[in-house]
Amino acid sequence: MERYFGENVPKLGFGLMRLPKLADGSIDIEQTKKMVDMFMDAGLTYFDTAYVYDNGESEKAAKLALVDRYPREKYTLCTKLCAWMHCSDEKSAKQQFYTSLERTGAGYFDYYLLHALQRNNYKIYDDYHIWDFVKEQKKKGLIKYFGFSFHADPELLEELLTDHPDVDFVQLQINYADWESPGVASRECYEIARRHGKSITIMEPVKGGALADPIPKVRDILKTANPDVSLASWAVRFAASLDGIITVLSGMSNIGQMKDNLSYMKAFEPLTDEEQAVIRKAQDALAEERGLVPCTACHYCTDGCPQNIPIPEIFSVKNHQRGNEAFRGRREYTIATTGKGKASDCIECGQCENACPQQLKVIKHLKECALQFEE
């Protein structure tokens, strides 16, 4: 049964995962307030955070920058319960919901998600009776819509939507780079969700920033088609042009990114047929590229790494290595790992691979990076 309810939701959502930081690593609340004001002034209303983002500081920032400063009916807020991180049993998993209410001060959540369901963790939500728990909160009026965010294969998505037909929406990783990717299968997962009549929120439309700075072939294709718009705009508009979308989340880290997103999403126009043809050319160029690590820099892998290895930053150096720029690559690698662990420091404990939403062979890629960048 069709349960789409996103017709009147602005197609850009403010993801609070990559908020601006001060020199000491804490969230820059004042800059975040300015970004929230810009977003709200543009008529946009959807904010997305999670219990685990920045070890809870993201939810606290939502309170300071949004909840304490705007009437509750003027915005919508989404957060998430992660039953496989930062908890040890059913009681502590359920406590995340109440802690999120306290941190945000929001009173209720417009949208609520079971966080990052994957093959290696989805049964925990059954074991801890989280599905029923969330439905109870919805009956109490503490949640308006509930669903789950998903990082796995299409077969599991089909199973989850069949077993839980009453979910209101799903959050999927969708971008033009992953549209036909065997690992992410954006298109197939999207089509499964739509067949089940589910509304969709989209995460990683710019693939952790990779599509804001794509490979040279893609950059040339997009800039030739329209030199006056940002590279990121192609990715966000591609996602927002799909049917059945509630909103597309963008994890903005500074005022410049906010200004750029607002420039084309304040009055969103779907991609034209000509622009869709440009995207297909970009997809073909990406398909020809080999050797990239499809990391979205979510940093789930680094939380708990016993060697303090900056895994996403190392993979970013690898992905931006071009041609014969070996010296530049080693220099950037040194910068990324200064004061932290190196790729060769990996003890192969597997913590990173268990946490990775992309199911990357992190240990294998780290070995490759050690050979490539370390003397």
Side-chain angles (χ1 to χ4, degrees):
M1 181 178 66
E2 176 67 44
R3 303 185 68 174
Y4 179 54
F5 52 87
E7 291 92 341
N8 298 318
V9 180
K11 290 298 179 279
L12 179 68
F14 190 172
L16 306 180
M17 181 179 179
R18 298 181 172 95
L19 291 173
K21 298 293 182 67
L22 297 171
D24 63 2
S26 63
I27 293 174
D28 186 340
I29 297 298
E30 293 308 309
Q31 186 175 174
T32 301
K33 287 179 180 178
K34 293 177 182 177
M35 294 169 69
V36 167
D37 291 344
M38 293 170 64
F39 192 78
M40 294 288 286
D41 288 345
L44 306 177
T45 58
Y46 193 107
F47 295 83
D48 174 273
T49 183
Y51 178 87
V52 299
Y53 289 173
D54 274 309
N55 291 315
E57 295 305 311
S58 174
E59 289 186 329
K60 295 176 183 177
K63 182 179 190 300
L64 295 172
L66 174 68
V67 176
D68 288 350
R69 300 173 64 241
Y70 285 91
R72 184 63 183 87
E73 69 276 9
K74 296 296 184 181
Y75 60 87
T76 54
L77 183 63
C78 175
T79 194
K80 311 174 188 73
L81 186 157
C82 189
W84 51 279
M85 289 177 67
H86 298 274
C87 62
S88 56
D89 54 23
E90 181 173 336
K91 181 179 179 181
S92 59
K94 292 177 178 178
Q95 179 59 39
Q96 288 187 17
F97 174 78
Y98 302 111
T99 300
S100 293
L101 280 176
E102 180 181 0
R103 284 175 180 167
T104 63
Y108 63 91
F109 296 115
D110 303 275
Y111 304 90
Y112 199 75
L113 292 164
L114 310 191
H115 197 173
L117 271 66
Q118 307 171 46
R119 280 283 175 189
N120 62 358
N121 67 32
Y122 77 99
K123 291 183 179 179
I124 296 174
Y125 292 91
D126 294 313
D127 295 341
Y128 289 172
H129 307 100
I130 301 301
W131 298 96
D132 290 336
F133 173 74
V134 170
K135 288 180 221 179
E136 290 171 8
Q137 308 316 310
K138 183 177 179 180
K139 288 180 181 178
K140 295 176 182 177
L142 297 177
I143 294 170
K144 287 189 175 181
Y145 303 106
F146 84 97
F148 58 92
S149 60
F150 184 76
H151 292 279
D153 54 275
E155 291 76 18
L156 180 58
L157 181 59
E158 183 75 51
E159 178 183 336
L160 289 170
L161 290 176
T162 299
D163 291 346
H164 302 283
D166 49 357
V167 301
D168 298 302
F169 72 115
V170 293
Q171 186 159 299
L172 300 175
Q173 177 175 321
I174 294 177
N175 56 68
Y176 69 77
D178 291 327
W179 191 240
E180 298 293 351
S181 164
V184 180
S186 287
R187 177 187 57 78
E188 193 170 355
C189 287
Y190 166 77
E191 291 174 353
I192 289 170
R194 296 304 294 140
R195 282 202 302 273
H196 282 266
K198 302 306 176 187
S199 302
I200 299 167
T201 53
I202 292 179
M203 57 184 161
E204 303 292 356
V206 194
K207 200 172 173 65
L211 299 183
D213 183 24
I215 61 174
K217 286 183 180 179
V218 171
R219 174 184 289 272
D220 291 345
I221 289 168
L222 300 182
K223 282 299 182 183
T224 298
N226 190 340
D228 298 325
V229 300
S230 69
L231 298 169
S233 70
W234 288 92
V236 175
R237 289 181 61 225
F238 168 82
S241 297
L242 294 168
D243 292 331
I245 302 303
I246 300 171
T247 199
V248 177
L249 301 173
S250 178
M252 293 169 272
S253 301
N254 54 59
I255 289 174
Q257 292 175 1
M258 177 64 75
K259 286 181 178 178
D260 179 55
N261 278 343
L262 295 182
S263 71
Y264 57 87
M265 290 302 289
K266 181 178 179 180
F268 166 67
E269 292 290 341
L271 291 178
T272 64
D273 290 343
E274 292 77 12
E275 289 172 322
Q276 291 283 7
V278 173
I279 289 292
R280 287 193 290 273
K281 289 182 181 179
Q283 290 171 322
D284 290 342
L286 286 168
E288 295 173 359
E289 188 75 8
R290 297 293 183 266
L292 299 183
V293 182
C295 171
T296 64
C298 69
H299 285 87
Y300 292 171
C301 59
T302 59
D303 186 8
C305 173
Q307 301 299 90
N308 192 29
I309 301 172
I311 298 169
E313 287 74 17
I314 290 174
F315 290 166
S316 178
V317 173
K318 177 178 175 61
N319 286 345
H320 286 84
Q321 181 76 29
R322 300 287 181 252
N324 296 319
E325 298 177 345
F327 174 77
R328 177 184 173 187
R330 287 195 294 270
R331 181 184 63 197
E332 293 180 353
Y333 176 81
T334 298
I335 293 172
T337 57
T338 296
K340 300 179 181 179
K342 295 182 178 180
S344 60
D345 292 328
C346 175
I347 60 174
E348 302 185 27
C349 67
Q351 181 274 337
C352 53
E353 295 188 354
N354 288 333
C356 179
Q358 312 303 320
Q359 292 91 50
L360 299 181
K361 301 296 184 184
V362 177
I363 296 170
K364 171 180 173 288
H365 291 309
L366 285 176
K367 288 180 179 179
E368 294 170 349
C369 291
L371 289 173
Q372 184 173 358
F373 298 118
E374 297 180 23
E375 295 290 349

